[in-house]
Amino acid sequence: MCIGIPLQVVRNEGSHAICRSPDGEEVRIDTLLTGPQPEGCWLMTFLGAARAVISAEEARQSQAALAALETLMAGGMPDLDAAFADLLDRPPQLPDFLRETKT
């Protein structure tokens, strides 16, 4: 399984961005799919590559969910309602390409 990690752009270096992780580590990310992004911009990254530009709020929500998963894996009991608050008031949705179409 591949998990997206939100990272914030610190600077650009050609087709890559140097991004900062929530723990302060700098990571080199391929930005060929998103193009260069300004300092402070948030990227959703997978396996060392940026796949989407996201808002600061989306980054915060993803970070909360990832922190809750880390706590669970360490045997703790996080507040899952708080960590996944954006999912509580809406039913699950399939992507458009998986929805049944009538012909």
Side-chain angles (χ1 to χ4, degrees), residues 6-7 42-44 54-64:
L7 298 173
W42 285 93
L43 301 172
M44 183 58 75
I54 60 173
S55 69
E57 178 60 18
E58 289 170 309
R60 187 200 61 73
Q61 290 172 345
S62 294
Q63 289 169 337

Side-chain angles (χ1 to χ4, degrees), residues 26-98:
E26 288 193 353
V27 182
R28 189 169 190 255
I29 298 295
D30 179 322
T31 56
L32 287 174
L33 292 176
T34 62
Q37 298 300 317
E39 181 181 326
C41 177
W42 285 93
L43 301 172
M44 183 58 75
T45 68
F46 296 83
L47 301 172
R51 297 289 193 258
V53 177
I54 60 173
S55 69
E57 178 60 18
E58 289 170 309
R60 187 200 61 73
Q61 290 172 345
S62 294
Q63 289 169 337
L66 289 170
L69 291 175
E70 285 180 23
T71 300
L72 279 171
M73 291 185 334
M77 292 300 299
D79 181 351
L80 294 176
D81 285 347
F84 295 93
D86 60 314
L87 302 177
L88 294 178
D89 295 328
R90 65 183 174 100
Q93 303 252 335
L94 287 173
D96 289 339
F97 71 92
L98 291 177

